[in-house]
Amino acid sequence: MSTRFDPPERGPLGADVATVVTAPIVAPPSESAVSWGAIFAGAAAAAALSLVLLILGVGLGLSSVSPWSFEGVSKETFGWSSVIWLTFTALAASGLGGYLAGRLRTKWTQIHGDETYFRDTAHGFVSWAVATLLTAGLLTSAIGGVLGAGAKVAGATAGAAASTAGVAAAGAGSAAAAAPEGDLNYWVDSLFRSATPPGPDAAAAPPAPQAPGAAPGNAPMDPAAAPPPPRPMPGNGPMGDRREVRAEVNRIIINSLQGDGLDPADTQYVSQLIARETGMSPAEAQARVTDVQTRMRAALEKAKNTAKQAADDARKATAYAALWLFITLLIGAFFASLSATWGGRRRDL
């Protein structure tokens, strides 16, 4: 009988040791900090709402003003109403764009609450920036041309009196500066007006009675009652055509506007022309030249001051509009960021 024992074969680690195989660790997908789809969606909505509200504001503004006196709102009321409407447009459009940018963004996990608040704020600000650039592009297009024309009409209608004065002043200034003949004809006509125009009863005056015994048609004429010699007719003097005389006086006046006034030699020469053409005495002609020159310079100075005042009013209006537009844009940026944080909190609920 055999007594040999063969034990069972064991593995290198023994029969009671099991091998554990672990699965590889897969990293979670990375989350982008910027949701461009949500940003562009909010910007498009904000730009569209801004355009709609601007068109509505132009319509309401044009319906509230009138070029007629005592009709429509005043310039101050129109200006403050425009500021209020622009502020409301910025709040409404920026709030809508920011809320959509925060509500439609990707939901972030495993980040701190402060980081979420910062990302939502950045989404709202970037959405406002894109909407602002998009709106500026629209306003410079054909639609912007329509809106700009409406705004110009509204501004011109609100300040109709000032604008009319400015246009008149500009016309007077250009007349004094470079007009050859046509624009100063009024003052030239004032110089050559007749001193004593014949009255309507001069031709109908009855003839003087004749002396007794005198034959009709052969009555002796009293030297004291004889009519004065006839005045020279315009255009028959040594200066030739009357148009040439007026053109020369016009050039003399234009040249005097570039300095302090007419030279003594020019004043004497123009007085001689006026005396020859109208039959006035040299003293009366010189007095007329001085009076017309004084009135003309006073009128031009008044037109110049009116043009300066209109330009200063336009400068102030432009400066105020730019400052209020800057403030409105800042308000829109803040409200868009705030609305984005609110929309982000609603998204994470």
PDB file of all heavy atoms in Angstrom, residues 274-287:
ATOM      1  N   ILE A 274     -25.007 160.016 -56.409  1.00  0.00           N
ATOM      2  CA  ILE A 274     -26.397 160.108 -55.946  1.00  0.00           C
ATOM      3  C   ILE A 274     -26.982 161.471 -56.282  1.00  0.00           C
ATOM      4  O   ILE A 274     -28.142 161.587 -56.724  1.00  0.00           O
ATOM      5  CB  ILE A 274     -26.452 159.827 -54.437  1.00  0.00           C
ATOM      6  CG1 ILE A 274     -26.050 158.381 -54.159  1.00  0.00           C
ATOM      7  CG2 ILE A 274     -27.847 160.096 -53.886  1.00  0.00           C
ATOM      8  CD1 ILE A 274     -25.943 158.060 -52.692  1.00  0.00           C
ATOM      9  N   ALA A 275     -26.190 162.539 -56.085  1.00  0.00           N
ATOM     10  CA  ALA A 275     -26.678 163.873 -56.408  1.00  0.00           C
ATOM     11  C   ALA A 275     -26.958 164.009 -57.903  1.00  0.00           C
ATOM     12  O   ALA A 275     -27.931 164.650 -58.314  1.00  0.00           O
ATOM     13  CB  ALA A 275     -25.653 164.916 -55.955  1.00  0.00           C
ATOM     14  N   ARG A 276     -26.131 163.429 -58.744  1.00  0.00           N
ATOM     15  CA  ARG A 276     -26.352 163.505 -60.175  1.00  0.00           C
ATOM     16  C   ARG A 276     -27.570 162.714 -60.623  1.00  0.00           C
ATOM     17  O   ARG A 276     -28.335 163.146 -61.467  1.00  0.00           O
ATOM     18  CB  ARG A 276     -25.111 163.031 -60.919  1.00  0.00           C
ATOM     19  CG  ARG A 276     -25.240 163.140 -62.444  1.00  0.00           C
ATOM     20  CD  ARG A 276     -23.986 162.606 -63.112  1.00  0.00           C
ATOM     21  NE  ARG A 276     -23.816 161.179 -62.836  1.00  0.00           N
ATOM     22  CZ  ARG A 276     -24.426 160.219 -63.531  1.00  0.00           C
ATOM     23  NH1 ARG A 276     -25.270 160.528 -64.495  1.00  0.00           N
ATOM     24  NH2 ARG A 276     -24.229 158.961 -63.243  1.00  0.00           N
ATOM     25  N   GLU A 277     -27.767 161.523 -60.019  1.00  0.00           N
ATOM     26  CA  GLU A 277     -28.861 160.657 -60.449  1.00  0.00           C
ATOM     27  C   GLU A 277     -30.206 161.074 -59.887  1.00  0.00           C
ATOM     28  O   GLU A 277     -31.242 160.855 -60.524  1.00  0.00           O
ATOM     29  CB  GLU A 277     -28.564 159.209 -60.039  1.00  0.00           C
ATOM     30  CG  GLU A 277     -27.364 158.592 -60.727  1.00  0.00           C
ATOM     31  CD  GLU A 277     -27.596 158.363 -62.202  1.00  0.00           C
ATOM     32  OE1 GLU A 277     -28.773 158.266 -62.603  1.00  0.00           O
ATOM     33  OE2 GLU A 277     -26.618 158.289 -62.955  1.00  0.00           O
ATOM     34  N   THR A 278     -30.238 161.645 -58.685  1.00  0.00           N
ATOM     35  CA  THR A 278     -31.518 161.978 -58.024  1.00  0.00           C
ATOM     36  C   THR A 278     -31.819 163.462 -58.014  1.00  0.00           C
ATOM     37  O   THR A 278     -32.957 163.844 -57.722  1.00  0.00           O
ATOM     38  CB  THR A 278     -31.499 161.475 -56.574  1.00  0.00           C
ATOM     39  OG1 THR A 278     -30.444 162.126 -55.857  1.00  0.00           O
ATOM     40  CG2 THR A 278     -31.279 159.970 -56.518  1.00  0.00           C
ATOM     41  N   GLY A 279     -30.844 164.304 -58.315  1.00  0.00           N
ATOM     42  CA  GLY A 279     -31.084 165.741 -58.272  1.00  0.00           C
ATOM     43  C   GLY A 279     -30.984 166.338 -56.890  1.00  0.00           C
ATOM     44  O   GLY A 279     -31.380 167.493 -56.684  1.00  0.00           O
ATOM     45  N   MET A 280     -30.480 165.600 -55.930  1.00  0.00           N
ATOM     46  CA  MET A 280     -30.334 166.106 -54.569  1.00  0.00           C
ATOM     47  C   MET A 280     -29.115 167.019 -54.492  1.00  0.00           C
ATOM     48  O   MET A 280     -28.223 166.990 -55.350  1.00  0.00           O
ATOM     49  CB  MET A 280     -30.185 164.950 -53.577  1.00  0.00           C
ATOM     50  CG  MET A 280     -31.368 164.005 -53.555  1.00  0.00           C
ATOM     51  SD  MET A 280     -31.051 162.539 -52.528  1.00  0.00           S
ATOM     52  CE  MET A 280     -30.803 163.316 -50.927  1.00  0.00           C
ATOM     53  N   SER A 281     -29.069 167.790 -53.427  1.00  0.00           N
ATOM     54  CA  SER A 281     -27.895 168.625 -53.185  1.00  0.00           C
ATOM     55  C   SER A 281     -26.755 167.761 -52.669  1.00  0.00           C
ATOM     56  O   SER A 281     -26.986 166.667 -52.135  1.00  0.00           O
ATOM     57  CB  SER A 281     -28.224 169.726 -52.171  1.00  0.00           C
ATOM     58  OG  SER A 281     -28.544 169.140 -50.911  1.00  0.00           O
ATOM     59  N   PRO A 282     -25.503 168.187 -52.822  1.00  0.00           N
ATOM     60  CA  PRO A 282     -24.386 167.380 -52.320  1.00  0.00           C
ATOM     61  C   PRO A 282     -24.465 167.085 -50.827  1.00  0.00           C
ATOM     62  O   PRO A 282     -24.119 165.987 -50.387  1.00  0.00           O
ATOM     63  CB  PRO A 282     -23.163 168.226 -52.675  1.00  0.00           C
ATOM     64  CG  PRO A 282     -23.606 169.061 -53.842  1.00  0.00           C
ATOM     65  CD  PRO A 282     -25.048 169.340 -53.589  1.00  0.00           C
ATOM     66  N   ALA A 283     -24.957 168.043 -50.048  1.00  0.00           N
ATOM     67  CA  ALA A 283     -25.065 167.812 -48.602  1.00  0.00           C
ATOM     68  C   ALA A 283     -26.117 166.733 -48.305  1.00  0.00           C
ATOM     69  O   ALA A 283     -25.913 165.851 -47.453  1.00  0.00           O
ATOM     70  CB  ALA A 283     -25.403 169.110 -47.885  1.00  0.00           C
ATOM     71  N   GLU A 284     -27.253 166.807 -48.986  1.00  0.00           N
ATOM     72  CA  GLU A 284     -28.283 165.796 -48.780  1.00  0.00           C
ATOM     73  C   GLU A 284     -27.819 164.420 -49.241  1.00  0.00           C
ATOM     74  O   GLU A 284     -28.111 163.401 -48.601  1.00  0.00           O
ATOM     75  CB  GLU A 284     -29.553 166.195 -49.535  1.00  0.00           C
ATOM     76  CG  GLU A 284     -30.236 167.445 -48.985  1.00  0.00           C
ATOM     77  CD  GLU A 284     -31.424 167.858 -49.832  1.00  0.00           C
ATOM     78  OE1 GLU A 284     -31.537 167.372 -50.977  1.00  0.00           O
ATOM     79  OE2 GLU A 284     -32.238 168.658 -49.353  1.00  0.00           O
ATOM     80  N   ALA A 285     -27.101 164.384 -50.353  1.00  0.00           N
ATOM     81  CA  ALA A 285     -26.601 163.105 -50.840  1.00  0.00           C
ATOM     82  C   ALA A 285     -25.604 162.486 -49.867  1.00  0.00           C
ATOM     83  O   ALA A 285     -25.632 161.284 -49.601  1.00  0.00           O
ATOM     84  CB  ALA A 285     -25.961 163.292 -52.216  1.00  0.00           C
ATOM     85  N   GLN A 286     -24.716 163.317 -49.314  1.00  0.00           N
ATOM     86  CA  GLN A 286     -23.748 162.791 -48.355  1.00  0.00           C
ATOM     87  C   GLN A 286     -24.432 162.331 -47.072  1.00  0.00           C
ATOM     88  O   GLN A 286     -24.053 161.312 -46.484  1.00  0.00           O
ATOM     89  CB  GLN A 286     -22.699 163.857 -48.049  1.00  0.00           C
ATOM     90  CG  GLN A 286     -21.538 163.347 -47.204  1.00  0.00           C
ATOM     91  CD  GLN A 286     -20.408 164.333 -47.129  1.00  0.00           C
ATOM     92  OE1 GLN A 286     -20.509 165.433 -47.664  1.00  0.00           O
ATOM     93  NE2 GLN A 286     -19.326 163.947 -46.463  1.00  0.00           N
ATOM     94  N   ALA A 287     -25.463 163.044 -46.636  1.00  0.00           N
ATOM     95  CA  ALA A 287     -26.210 162.617 -45.448  1.00  0.00           C
ATOM     96  C   ALA A 287     -26.917 161.294 -45.707  1.00  0.00           C
ATOM     97  O   ALA A 287     -26.985 160.425 -44.809  1.00  0.00           O
ATOM     98  CB  ALA A 287     -27.212 163.702 -45.051  1.00  0.00           C
TER      99      ALA A 287
END
